[in-house]
Amino acid sequence: MDKRIILLTGAGFTKNFGGFLADEMWAYIFNHKNIQISKELKDLAYKHFNYEDLYDEVLKSEKNLPAFIEVIDKAYQLQEKSIKANLINRSQIPINFCEFLKSHVASIFTLNQDLCFETSIISTKGTAIDLQFELPFSPDNRKAHPFDKSPKLLPSKKELDKLEKTTDISNNLNYFKLHGSTTYYSSILPGQKVLVIGREKNKLIANEPLLNKYKIIFEQNLQEDNQSLLVIGYSFLDEHINEVIESGLKNGLKLYIVDTLSPEEFKRKMLDEEIKEFKQGAVRLQIKGKKHGIDKNNNIAYLNVKLASTKMNIFKSMAGYYPFDLIQFLDQHNLGFFKENVGLV
């Protein structure tokens, strides 16, 4: 059998199809009338330019939560419209991408909650690619249908156990939405959408049986022998995902990253995020060399220290880095170079 790889996508991937990055999502949220008429919400938005951090702060005050949830829903609706409109002008991307998926990808994992795959990529008109994919263990276990935007009530633990016994996903191109979807509704909390955002992602995932199962499958996939992971458009801001990747790397996983940043910019971003988290006390860094500390200006007081962290371990363990957007990556020359590096030819 031909060698196949695992694909992980983040917001930067959907950006190629008209999706929003975090700063754009913040802007759409900030511009909504619910934010503009609320001094409290507006002040919070000024303090938190990461919309997931903003969401966490709103959670602390339940009186603003319904209005903010309405804003989030509207932002996702605008994103879906942008994706649909964008694909009309860039239909060649899905055709090339579908060819790549069919030939070289075993499973797709995504951190995105949009419907880019379900309603746009797979259903693009004009492609001769017969690409079928599964949404594993969905309530009726049906193949994803073009433009299927119907609400999906996720299975309970009992229902999921039954589906696992009666479903074989080993021969499918599976699409795992690790952080939920705009069409997923909770099996635990009636009427509530399953959108894993904020800083309590591990807890949210653990509470929803299907998402917890997807996380376990992701972990198992990255621990397999001779495994390769291609990451497109992921910012490496989710520690629970980074830990799974780092664990796989220790077991021989080959990691290939596609990002629009130059390698130097990418490294700087990874390091800057570690320093930010260090200041906030969000992670524990092992620091070797000179004595270290935080000065009165909340800056790292000593330079030239070596930071041993998950993000930098991931950066230093890469088997390949491709500073391209998706169109450039799918260029015949660049894609051929990638296939050669990974051993797909």
Side-chain angles (χ1 to χ4, degrees):
M1 178 181 292
D2 294 338
K3 176 180 173 64
R4 290 183 179 267
I5 63 174
I6 302 300
L7 174 64
L8 174 67
T9 66
F13 169 82
T14 307
K15 177 64 177 175
N16 292 280
F17 304 99
F20 301 157
L21 297 178
D23 56 348
E24 295 169 298
M25 187 66 78
W26 180 92
Y28 281 107
I29 291 170
F30 179 77
N31 294 338
H32 193 279
K33 63 179 181 180
N34 287 6
I35 305 297
Q36 292 300 313
I37 65 175
S38 170
K39 184 180 185 304
E40 186 173 355
L41 287 176
K42 200 169 183 178
D43 287 345
L44 285 175
Y46 283 135
K47 294 178 182 178
H48 302 281
F49 291 96
N50 182 314
Y51 81 96
E52 296 199 39
D53 290 339
L54 175 58
Y55 175 76
D56 277 348
E57 289 301 313
V58 174
L59 281 178
K60 297 177 182 178
S61 177
E62 292 188 3
K63 69 175 183 178
N64 290 317
L65 188 57
F68 192 77
I69 293 297
E70 180 183 343
V71 175
I72 292 287
D73 284 343
K74 183 62 176 180
Y76 277 107
Q77 291 173 23
L78 290 172
Q79 179 174 236
E80 298 300 337
K81 289 180 180 179
S82 176
I83 291 170
K84 185 176 181 180
N86 188 272
L87 279 163
I88 294 175
N89 300 320
R90 304 178 71 176
S91 60
Q92 187 61 34
I93 303 177
I95 296 173
N96 292 347
F97 192 64
C98 287
E99 291 175 343
F100 176 72
L101 293 177
K102 186 173 183 179
S103 300
H104 301 296
V105 175
S107 292
I108 307 164
F109 294 87
T110 187
L111 306 175
N112 303 328
Q113 293 116 346
D114 57 71
L115 304 179
C116 188
F117 266 87
E118 296 94 317
T119 65
S120 301
I121 296 179
I122 304 304
S123 59
T124 299
K125 295 180 180 179
T127 176
I129 304 300
D130 179 21
L131 184 62
Q132 296 280 341
F133 73 103
E134 293 274 359
L135 296 169
F137 309 120
S138 60
D140 55 7
N141 199 42
R142 65 182 176 183
K143 290 186 182 296
H145 187 277
F147 303 102
D148 178 13
K149 298 182 180 180
S150 60
K152 296 176 177 62
L153 177 63
L154 299 189
S156 64
K157 181 63 170 64
K158 183 177 180 180
E159 292 169 331
L160 182 59
D161 290 342
K162 183 178 180 180
L163 283 169
E164 286 189 69
K165 293 177 182 178
T166 59
T167 306
D168 180 12
I169 65 171
S170 59
N171 295 318
N172 304 323
L173 175 58
N174 296 300
Y175 183 48
F176 301 92
K177 305 188 82 167
L178 294 171
H179 286 173
S181 174
T182 56
T183 59
Y184 285 6
Y185 284 81
S186 176
S187 65
I188 308 298
L189 302 172
Q192 182 168 312
K193 285 188 177 182
V194 180
L195 297 172
V196 180
I197 59 178
R199 298 305 173 192
E200 296 293 330
K201 291 188 174 76
N202 266 331
K203 181 179 179 180
L204 293 171
I205 290 170
N207 287 341
E208 192 61 55
L210 182 65
L211 297 192
N212 192 53
K213 177 64 178 178
Y214 282 1
K215 179 185 177 183
I216 292 171
I217 294 174
F218 182 56
E219 294 170 342
Q220 292 172 339
N221 270 251
L222 297 199
Q223 289 293 328
E224 291 180 1
D225 293 338
N226 196 33
Q227 187 64 276
S228 295
L229 174 67
L230 173 63
V231 176
I232 303 180
Y234 169 47
S235 60
F236 291 88
L237 294 180
D238 290 322
E239 285 303 313
H240 65 291
I241 297 296
N242 296 345
E243 289 168 1
V244 175
I245 294 174
E246 184 182 35
S247 178
L249 290 169
K250 292 177 180 178
N251 197 47
L253 174 72
K254 299 291 186 181
L255 174 64
Y256 303 87
I257 297 176
V258 177
D259 197 286
T260 56
L261 295 177
S262 72
E264 183 178 5
E265 290 171 329
F266 186 81
K267 178 183 178 182
R268 187 182 305 120
K269 179 182 177 182
M270 297 279 271
L271 184 58
D272 286 347
E273 286 296 333
E274 286 294 356
I275 293 173
K276 176 182 176 182
E277 291 174 353
F278 177 55
K279 290 179 179 179
Q280 294 174 342
V283 294
R284 295 170 60 185
L285 298 177
Q286 301 171 11
I287 300 181
K288 301 178 181 179
K290 296 181 179 180
K291 185 178 180 180
H292 64 281
I294 303 296
D295 67 12
K296 63 181 179 180
N297 295 318
N298 199 33
N299 296 314
I300 293 184
Y302 298 92
L303 302 176
N304 301 320
V305 296
K306 184 180 291 186
L307 304 180
S309 62
T310 299
K311 288 187 181 68
M312 291 311 296
N313 286 341
I314 288 174
F315 179 82
K316 293 178 180 179
S317 300
M318 292 187 304
Y321 186 85
Y322 304 85
F324 307 126
D325 63 21
L326 191 59
I327 297 177
Q328 294 170 318
F329 178 67
L330 292 174
D331 172 80
Q332 184 175 358
H333 174 75
N334 291 330
L335 188 58
F337 185 51
F338 168 75
K339 292 178 183 179
E340 184 178 341
N341 288 352
V342 182
L344 298 177
V345 294

